[in-house]
Amino acid sequence: RFGLEEVSRLTGAPVSESFRLGRAFGAARRPLALAGPGALSGIAGFATAMAVIALNLAVGAMGRPGGYVAAGDAPLDLPPPQEPDQVARRGLSSARVDGAGWATLPVVRQSPAGLAANLAAGRPYPLEVLIVHGVNPAHEWPGGKTVEEALAAVGLVAVVGAVADETARVADLILPEASFLEAWQILPPATGIPFDYAGLQQPVLEPIYQSRAFEDAWFDLARRIGGPAAAAVPAGSYADWLPSAAAGLHRAGRGTIAGGPFHARNAGFMEERGWKAPGPQTAEAFWEEFRRSGSWVDAPRGEHSPAELIGDRAGRFDLWPERLLADARKLGGTPVADDALYRGAPEEAGAGATGPSNHPLRLLLFDTSTLWGGRAVLTPVLLEMSGFREDIGWDSWVEIHPETARRDRIQAGDRVRLDSRAGSLVARARITPVVPPDAVAMPRGLGHRHFGRFATGVGVNPLALVSPVLDPWTGGAILDSRVRLTRAQT
């Protein structure tokens, strides 16, 4: 549908460059297209994801070495789904508060951005109780003030967490959660690793304070509710239940307790020939070995074919998914062009996009391993390492292309100001050619207002520059903004 001239007009990339990249990608021995979270959370995030999928399918990079492979699984023994009772059926038949799966977001399974917006507006009905766990929306979502207003509209907000963060500060009830050093947990395989795996996290010390594992709090709540909810909860604590869950790994009749590379290769060699590597004979003995080793692994599987990954439809796949497009046409009750699936949203829909003259630079957000989106910066050593590759610690920085820096007379280490329609902030300048001349980039994770005695007040939160705009394709917030860069007044 799009010739090279049209692609060049839409993207700004020269025809010669698109042609060169296309030839190189198609001729490569192991071509693979990837997109990071920064690209997927932008204004054209969904279109970028669809384009990456289409590229990988077009060159057959599915289910083969060097290409896309299916993630592994852990065959745990989990309780069967419970039949909903009358209260549950009534709740499941009601419109979701986040709007997912309904008229405005028919193609979305869950929508954090929709949840915040609808809570603030009290639609489709006021929410009486909200339990928050594993996320800090008052800091991690754009429109922090709006998120706090949304939480204030809920009858009771309960936060289960290990840190008194920004969301906990506005909650009605805080339930202290045991840290990973104090709690049991079965860890699933990491995304993208093509073999089945289960890890066992074990406590190295007793809880120091009156904290509990989230699972134990959840079990206790279900027992207090009674009825089918209580019947669905195993007896005892979460730690008491783990051996029975791990029994599924033993009953699977494959895989082995991890015992070094040689052991894993030996187990895989035997399984390929129809034999099971020797191991514990009972579920009880398996649990003891699993607890001592800390992990169970099944030898890497043979690569899946595209038919196994995407479903066999007479050996064909559809790059123009009619079912998805049919749902997408209902978005917000307004017509959506089919080619928007690959072209993305128009520039005017971007959060804070006020035009090149007022805000000429696009803001790119990224994460670092030390900051981890702001959830790990609790200790001085991590704050010191927050920008170790940039020789910047205990502070936020903005990455600027050398041409942009020369034009605005900015040198490395200068304090610079970024302004957008949503807000403004000041950070240190880092000059690097990896950022495009028409953009600046900032790491997420700092700028906490409440996050322990070390991280509070360190750096700035770049989400202050992003307006809360809902992406109707994904249900998330569009982390996209245009900014103006100037030297900060000293």
Side-chain angles (χ1 to χ4, degrees):
R1 295 197 178 208
F2 300 99
L4 285 175
E5 290 79 8
E6 178 69 0
V7 170
S8 178
R9 186 185 68 81
L10 291 171
T11 65
V15 169
S16 58
E17 186 68 5
S18 297
F19 187 75
R20 184 189 68 80
L21 287 174
R23 288 285 297 272
F25 189 75
R29 289 183 61 246
R30 290 288 184 265
L32 179 65
L34 297 172
L40 297 179
S41 60
I43 191 171
F46 189 73
T48 300
M50 292 297 296
V52 166
I53 292 172
L55 282 170
N56 287 324
L57 288 171
V59 296
M62 299 283 286
R64 73 178 187 190
Y68 176 84
V69 294
D73 196 6
L76 301 172
D77 191 359
L78 303 177
Q82 298 293 307
E83 185 67 27
D85 62 2
Q86 183 178 357
V87 175
R89 284 194 295 271
R90 186 167 66 249
L92 293 171
S93 65
S94 302
R96 288 177 52 124
V97 177
D98 65 353
W102 293 78
T104 55
L105 295 169
V107 300
V108 172
R109 292 185 178 180
Q110 54 186 7
S111 174
L115 175 65
N118 289 347
L119 285 177
R123 58 175 187 256
Y125 42 80
L127 196 63
E128 296 181 13
V129 178
L130 177 67
I131 300 176
V132 181
H133 174 251
V135 67
N136 180 11
H139 175 81
E140 298 171 10
W141 296 358
K145 206 68 178 175
T146 303
V147 173
E148 292 184 9
E149 293 172 359
L151 295 174
V154 179
L156 172 68
V157 176
V159 169
V160 184
V163 182
D165 56 25
E166 288 85 351
T167 305
R169 294 281 296 204
V170 298
D172 303 294
L173 179 65
I174 302 175
L175 303 177
E177 182 181 17
S179 76
F180 69 94
L181 296 173
E182 303 168 324
W184 291 84
Q185 187 64 262
I186 286 188
L187 307 174
T191 302
I193 296 179
F195 53 83
D196 292 349
Y197 169 85
L200 184 63
Q201 171 188 296
Q202 305 178 54
V204 297
L205 73 163
E206 293 293 326
I208 298 176
Y209 304 108
Q210 294 182 358
S211 59
R212 304 174 66 188
F214 171 74
E215 292 80 8
D216 284 327
W218 198 249
F219 283 8
D220 191 36
L221 178 61
R223 294 187 184 108
R224 290 168 181 260
I225 292 174
V233 176
S237 67
Y238 177 70
D240 295 333
W241 169 75
L242 287 181
S244 63
L249 303 174
H250 177 258
R251 198 163 35 250
R254 56 186 176 85
T256 181
I257 299 292
F262 176 79
H263 191 187
R265 285 196 298 269
N266 183 47
F269 179 85
M270 295 184 70
E271 284 190 20
E272 288 173 1
R273 288 151 180 80
W275 296 84
K276 175 71 174 72
Q281 299 302 306
T282 66
E284 291 76 15
F286 177 89
W287 169 254
E288 285 303 313
E289 281 208 28
F290 185 39
R291 187 177 59 81
R292 283 195 294 267
S293 168
S295 61
W296 169 93
V297 62
D298 195 9
R301 307 183 289 240
E303 303 295 346
H304 292 276
S305 68
E308 290 178 286
L309 291 170
I310 62 177
D312 189 1
R313 297 174 58 188
R316 300 175 64 87
F317 51 80
D318 192 357
L319 293 177
W320 202 256
E322 290 296 338
R323 181 176 176 184
L324 179 59
L325 289 168
D327 282 344
R329 294 184 189 108
K330 308 172 189 174
L331 290 174
T334 58
V336 176
D338 287 354
D339 61 5
L341 198 66
Y342 289 98
R343 293 180 60 169
E347 176 72 15
E348 290 73 18
T354 56
S357 58
N358 296 325
H359 300 86
L361 302 173
R362 184 176 295 281
L363 175 67
L364 307 176
L365 303 181
F366 63 92
D367 293 317
T368 69
S369 57
T370 48
L371 295 176
W372 193 41
R375 302 183 186 186
V377 287
L378 279 168
T379 62
V381 66
L382 288 174
L383 289 164
E384 183 72 27
M385 294 171 58
S386 60
F388 67 95
R389 294 184 61 182
E390 295 75 28
D391 195 23
I392 297 174
W394 295 84
D395 204 354
S396 295
W397 68 93
V398 53
E399 303 192 350
I400 309 168
H401 191 275
E403 292 181 10
T404 308
R406 281 194 297 270
R407 183 190 64 208
D408 295 326
R409 298 180 180 179
I410 294 172
Q411 296 182 353
D414 285 352
R415 307 296 289 184
V416 295
R417 180 185 179 92
L418 294 179
D419 293 281
S420 75
R421 188 175 63 184
S424 62
L425 55 80
V426 175
R428 290 176 61 181
R430 177 176 182 257
I431 314 303
T432 171
V434 301
V435 180
D438 61 348
V440 293
M442 286 194 70
R444 296 190 297 180
L446 295 177
H448 281 280
R449 291 169 290 129
H450 306 285
F451 204 66
R453 58 179 175 147
F454 298 116
T456 298
V458 175
V460 292
N461 187 358
L463 290 176
L465 301 171
V466 180
S467 298
V469 176
L470 176 66
D471 185 345
W473 298 98
T474 66
I478 297 178
L479 303 185
D480 199 289
S481 185
R482 299 196 71 92
V483 298
R484 180 173 63 251
L485 172 70
T486 57
R487 292 184 62 182
Q489 300 295 325
T490 58

